[in-house]
Amino acid sequence: MRDPVALLEQMLRIPSHSGQEHHVAAFLVEQMRAAGLDAHVDGAGNAVGEIGQGPTVVLLGHIDTVSGVVPVRIEAGKLYGRGAVDAKGPFATFVCAAARLAQAGDVPFRLVLIGAVEEEAATSKGAHFVVDRYAPIACVIGEPSGWERLTLGYKGRLLLDARWQQPMAHSAGREQAVAERAVGFWNNVAAHCATYNADKSRLFDQLLPSLRTISSGSDGLADWAALMIGVRLPPEIDPALLAAQLGPLADGAALRFHDGCPAYQGEKNTPLARAMLKAVRGAGGTPGFLLKTGTSDMNVVGPAWRCPILAYGPGDSSLDHTPDEHVEIAEYERAIDVLVQALRNLGDTL
Amino acid sequence: MDAICPECEATVPLLEGTVEGEIITCPDCAAELEVVSINPPELALAPEVGEDWGE
């Protein structure tokens, strides 16, 4: 890839909200082919590129973004645009690193790049499509960690919709208002999590609830109230277990639990982590490990592949989904250098 | 081959087959250490595991 900045800038100029990734996928296939990879769009709409032979190493990023237009521009060494951090920047890093290895004729294994669709949707369609199609010996997930740091794990998640309905009653009557039942349930959920968290100092080990939507109304005969709650899960709490614990707290609501996924944490003493640590130090950095409060495609493929896995990519994740989303160009270029060297280091261990 | 623990200055034996980037534990102070060099043998405190919001 002769110009990494031009590649990422062009990716940012192609809108790709979840479910609408086909244009950017086609662009990436074209770019990966030009770099010497065999590339295609797979049955889920993922942009897939491959090069090399031998055991498989997967670089799995995502090419969809959340909604919201961030004007694409370069200012003071920063490239702005929706997805610059989450996560077109990390996937562009993958493409540029693979291109550099391809150009050098120096791909020590079968390297598979997957630009997955619908990571920002709870469906994780792209990752679910590939999870049974590959059995890699190592995997790097493309998410922002900063060029010096390696993300080892992500919390799990459970979403729930709750709805209450009851005959309309006068507000001066003795009946509890339906909206009060909804608020009572939220308070119960928050208290349940606070009790669980009481002796846990790390966010990664806590239950983190959020009230995402709340609404209520009446048709003149019946009153209703509805909530949507999300809970971020620690490794010890499976989605099904939490659902069983929260159900009895719902005061008769109709409940629907959905899009649950368990937390996942990779090992830090693996050939992949060593290769990355060595590459970061070799570039003059001070490596660090991270555990994240969110979820990523690691939650989908990690439990199935059970191979050395971590997430890596340039960018400050506090800029994810914000109107100020941007990546420092110098950091992006440094991350490419680190990944190239890390893949070479990993190849040396095979 | 031995290295020095940067935390407690104990002598830490590096077993045959130890590789750069490997994380080992100091037998004296139990600090987690990263093997940053084999020749010459050199250890650094292993990266800490931090937390971050995101994704």
Side-chain angles (χ1 to χ4, degrees):
Chain A
M1 196 58 55
R2 279 178 293 186
D3 188 346
V5 177
L7 172 71
L8 179 53
E9 184 174 354
Q10 286 178 279
M11 289 170 67
L12 298 178
R13 290 191 185 281
I14 303 172
S16 58
H17 304 159
S18 301
Q20 300 167 38
E21 302 93 341
H22 49 285
H23 288 306
V24 77
F27 170 75
L28 284 165
V29 164
E30 178 186 303
Q31 294 297 308
M32 288 191 283
R33 284 178 179 162
L37 283 69
D38 292 327
H40 67 281
V41 175
D42 72 12
N46 300 323
V48 179
E50 297 188 24
I51 191 167
Q53 295 187 333
T56 300
V57 172
V58 169
L59 307 181
L60 171 61
H62 68 89
I63 57 175
D64 64 319
T65 70
V66 295
S67 59
V69 176
V70 177
V72 178
R73 64 200 189 274
I74 295 175
E75 290 178 2
K78 301 171 184 174
L79 176 52
Y80 289 78
R82 174 60 77 222
V85 173
D86 187 14
K88 290 180 175 177
F91 192 70
T93 301
F94 290 177
V95 174
C96 293
R100 199 177 300 173
L101 293 174
Q103 188 176 20
D106 182 20
V107 185
F109 30 64
R110 177 192 181 215
L111 185 61
V112 179
L113 279 65
I114 302 169
V117 298
E118 294 189 29
E119 191 273 349
E120 296 291 359
T123 54
S124 297
K125 177 183 174 184
H128 282 292
F129 184 83
V130 301
V131 70
D132 295 327
R133 288 174 164 77
Y134 300 93
I137 60 161
C139 174
V140 181
I141 301 290
E143 294 283 6
S145 57
W147 78 274
E148 294 179 283
R149 299 190 296 180
L150 316 172
T151 301
L152 293 175
Y154 289 87
K155 289 177 75 81
R157 176 193 59 214
L158 180 66
L159 302 180
L160 78 94
D161 298 320
R163 182 182 174 87
W164 296 259
Q165 185 165 315
Q166 64 189 38
M168 191 172 173
H170 197 289
S171 60
R174 67 178 65 182
E175 289 289 324
Q176 184 183 29
V178 71
E180 293 173 357
R181 294 171 68 191
V183 171
F185 177 54
W186 163 249
N187 289 338
N188 288 342
V189 171
H192 175 87
C193 295
T195 300
Y196 179 83
N197 297 340
D199 61 347
K200 298 172 181 68
S201 57
R202 294 196 315 176
L203 293 171
F204 198 72
D205 298 324
Q206 297 179 9
L207 282 168
L208 301 177
S210 61
L211 178 56
R212 298 194 177 191
T213 64
I214 180 168
S215 55
S216 62
S218 175
D219 64 4
L221 294 175
D223 295 333
W224 60 269
L227 302 180
M228 180 180 179
I229 293 173
V231 186
R232 301 289 184 175
L233 311 180
E236 290 73 20
I237 301 293
D238 182 79
L241 172 63
L242 183 65
Q245 292 172 335
L246 297 186
L249 307 179
D251 189 17
L255 293 178
R256 185 174 77 92
F257 294 95
H258 57 101
D259 295 310
C261 68
Y264 191 79
Q265 183 173 350
E267 297 292 328
K268 62 183 176 184
N269 211 352
T270 67
L272 176 63
R274 292 171 204 149
M276 293 293 302
L277 290 174
K278 188 176 174 184
V280 170
R281 288 196 190 278
T286 302
F289 293 120
L290 287 176
L291 296 171
K292 296 261 193 168
T293 55
T295 58
S296 78
D297 281 339
M298 184 188 293
N299 298 71
V300 175
V301 300
W305 289 348
R306 295 192 173 279
C307 64
I309 191 168
L310 52 81
Y312 181 73
D316 176 354
S317 59
S318 71
L319 298 172
D320 290 0
H321 305 188
T322 70
D324 193 38
E325 186 168 2
H326 67 267
V327 64
E328 301 263 359
I329 290 172
E331 185 193 0
Y332 167 53
E333 292 174 331
R334 190 165 292 179
I336 296 168
D337 293 340
V338 167
L339 185 59
V340 168
Q341 188 57 51
L343 292 171
R344 286 180 171 143
N345 293 345
L346 182 62
D348 290 341
T349 69
L350 299 178
Chain B
M1 186 164 43
D2 295 332
I4 301 300
C5 173
E7 181 74 4
C8 70
E9 298 187 347
T11 299
V12 182
L14 298 184
L15 303 178
E16 188 174 340
T18 300
V19 296
E20 288 182 21
E22 189 168 340
I23 294 173
I24 62 177
T25 302
C26 174
D28 276 24
C29 70
E32 282 199 322
L33 305 171
E34 180 188 337
V35 181
V36 295
S37 172
I38 294 292
N39 189 18
E42 184 181 350
L43 301 172
L45 288 175
E48 294 194 357
V49 180
E51 294 192 291
D52 194 14
W53 302 89
E55 284 80 66

